Amino acid sequence: MKWEKLKPPEPDDPMCCCECDTYKYRCCCDCEDLDEAFSSWLKEKPPSCGLQSPVFETMIDSLEISMIPALLLLPLLLRAAALHYLLGAVILTALPGLVLSYYHTTHRRKRRTLFFLTLALYSLAYMYYLFVTEILPRGDVSPLQTCAVTTGMILTVASLVHTKRGPGFVTASLHKANPTHSDGSIQSTASGETGPQSATEKWTLCPVCKIMRPPRAGHCRTCGSCVQRLDHHCVWINSCVGQANHRSFLQTLCVFVLTSVYGIGLVLRSLCPRQSLMTALFYCPGVYSQPSTALCFTCCWYSTIITAGLFYLLVAQVVSISFNVTGREAQLALRNKKGQRRLWGIAIDTGEYSRGFYRNWVEFLTMTDSSASLHSSPTDLV
């Protein structure tokens, strides 16, 4: 197979050496599995790569050690940050940088990782544990407020579980179940699109999966599958956000942000009852006099940093939905210079699917996963 014979992939699907037979030692590729690396190693003599072999490099890349930092280092770092406010400022400033560097590493290599999901769940559980063991005994929180925080925790986890059920993968039976026209266009009623423009759009062939996919679907390199109405691959849930789970993903963000802001407010009112919330977050006299109060105050800052990042993601999602643009479509529009930045660059308006604020939200809230409505055989399941 030669490069010229391959169908050029879409802009969001860069060519990988695993899809080209001209690359002899494919075990060097970051997206190869460990078993395929060993298979290539046993069948052919590997090239000389100095002291490190391709199989060794692949083994290092495939080790899943992402749960260790979240489970061990996070409590130690937070307790160290609670020793002094200067030390806390250094640690809380370095933590986002370390997380972002790990994100860029996994995103560049198109790897699935449990680091961010583990960090999110463990942080949520650890903050609630400190709230119950350190704040409730102080007697400043009423039972009704405790129930509100607990309900928010439960709803956040339940929404996350519902989001993890799947983004709506494209299957081969999906194209067969939709009526096609002689010109190759298709009625997009099953994919949740309505209107004269979506009714004449053509299905496209994925250059990687080799299956027909509906309009607005995209291929995720990290998951290795095509997703209906692909928005983006979210590292915090270790899954794609697509047509089937986009609403529950938005719900998870809303519940988490509201619960986190409410919980931070309760903790600050308990630690600094004479200060307003914004003032207490920056100036709380005597909070470092006791280790327990210093730890709770440090965790408030840690929760504030996480909440601020997810709040920005929530705002970006709401604005994109208002313009009826997915994250994948926004990236392609910027790459092809077809989109316009709106609202200080938060939203990218392509003008392709937008039909007004109200109708865009109605379409988003009423869209259904077309693959879930198909009564197919077990072989069609993803």
Side-chain angles (χ1 to χ4, degrees):
M1 182 182 295
K2 297 182 179 180
W3 287 97
E4 292 80 4
K5 294 183 180 181
L6 292 174
K7 181 179 179 181
E10 293 186 0
D12 60 333
D13 299 328
M15 182 58 65
C16 174
C17 60
C18 303
E19 300 165 8
C20 180
D21 294 338
T22 59
Y23 194 76
K24 190 175 182 180
Y25 302 105
R26 291 182 292 174
C27 58
C28 295
C29 180
D30 289 332
C31 59
E32 274 300 290
D33 293 332
L34 187 59
D35 54 349
E36 295 183 4
F38 274 109
S39 178
S40 300
W41 174 270
L42 295 175
K43 290 181 180 180
E44 301 179 14
K45 183 180 179 180
S48 59
C49 299
L51 298 177
Q52 273 192 337
S53 64
V55 174
F56 182 75
E57 294 178 357
T58 309
M59 291 177 62
I60 296 300
D61 292 338
S62 301
L63 290 177
E64 182 56 73
I65 59 175
S66 59
M67 297 179 63
I68 297 178
L71 298 179
L72 296 181
L73 294 181
L74 181 62
L76 296 179
L77 290 176
L78 291 178
R79 291 189 177 274
L83 297 177
H84 196 270
Y85 69 92
L86 292 179
L87 186 60
V90 173
I91 294 178
L92 293 179
T93 304
L95 274 178
L98 295 175
V99 173
L100 288 177
S101 62
Y102 188 84
Y103 165 76
H104 285 296
T105 302
T106 55
H107 183 73
R108 178 175 57 85
R109 298 184 178 184
K110 303 296 188 295
R111 289 181 53 186
R112 292 175 63 91
T113 174
L114 293 174
F115 173 79
F116 299 96
L117 179 61
T118 306
L119 179 63
L121 292 177
Y122 186 73
S123 299
L124 196 65
Y126 189 66
M127 297 302 109
Y128 184 75
Y129 168 78
L130 291 179
F131 178 79
V132 173
T133 58
E134 300 293 342
I135 300 301
L136 288 185
R138 298 173 63 91
D140 299 325
V141 180
S142 65
L144 183 60
Q145 293 172 331
T146 305
C147 291
V149 174
T150 305
T151 302
M153 282 280 300
I154 296 176
L155 290 178
T156 301
V157 176
S159 299
L160 180 61
V161 172
H162 189 269
T163 305
K164 286 284 294 179
R165 289 185 177 181
F169 293 104
V170 179
T171 59
S173 60
L174 185 62
H175 180 257
K176 299 178 181 179
N178 288 271
T180 57
H181 302 288
S182 58
D183 59 350
S185 61
I186 185 167
Q187 298 284 350
S188 302
T189 56
S191 60
E193 307 290 343
T194 58
Q197 185 178 8
S198 61
T200 60
E201 289 181 333
K202 295 181 179 181
W203 286 40
T204 57
L205 177 66
C206 177
V208 181
C209 299
K210 305 301 180 183
I211 60 175
M212 297 298 295
R213 59 190 185 185
R216 308 190 74 178
H219 183 85
C220 177
R221 283 289 183 184
T222 306
C223 294
S225 302
C226 287
V227 179
Q228 302 178 62
R229 202 181 181 276
L230 175 62
D231 187 82
H232 69 286
H233 181 89
C234 182
V235 295
W236 293 105
I237 64 174
N238 195 26
S239 177
C240 287
V241 177
Q243 185 167 303
N245 65 347
H246 202 166
R247 287 193 303 267
S248 57
F249 175 75
L250 186 67
Q251 177 182 341
T252 304
L253 289 177
C254 292
V255 175
F256 173 81
V257 169
L258 291 177
T259 304
S260 180
V261 171
Y262 185 70
I264 293 173
L266 292 179
V267 174
L268 291 178
R269 288 188 181 278
S270 177
L271 298 178
C272 305
R274 298 180 181 180
Q275 305 285 343
S276 61
L277 293 182
M278 291 301 300
T279 305
L281 189 60
F282 294 94
Y283 177 71
C284 187
V287 72
Y288 285 94
S289 60
Q290 298 179 2
S292 60
T293 57
L295 179 60
C296 292
F297 183 75
T298 303
C299 290
C300 281
W301 262 106
Y302 174 74
S303 302
T304 302
I305 295 174
I306 295 180
T307 305
L310 294 184
F311 177 74
Y312 175 82
L313 178 59
L314 175 62
V315 172
Q317 285 287 314
V318 171
V319 173
S320 298
I321 295 171
S322 301
F323 286 98
N324 202 356
V325 177
T326 63
R328 171 179 174 270
E329 293 167 351
Q331 293 180 359
L332 294 178
L334 290 178
R335 188 176 304 175
N336 300 330
K337 298 181 179 179
K338 295 182 179 180
Q340 297 180 355
R341 293 185 178 272
R342 300 290 181 87
L343 300 178
W344 304 282
I346 299 179
I348 307 299
D349 185 13
T350 61
E352 185 176 1
Y353 298 99
S354 180
R355 296 180 293 131
F357 177 84
Y358 176 76
R359 298 184 66 182
N360 290 340
W361 274 98
V362 170
E363 177 182 324
F364 174 79
L365 296 176
T366 56
M367 65 180 181
T368 57
D369 181 15
S370 57
S371 60
S373 60
L374 299 177
H375 300 282
S376 56
S377 60
T379 57
D380 297 328
L381 298 178
V382 178

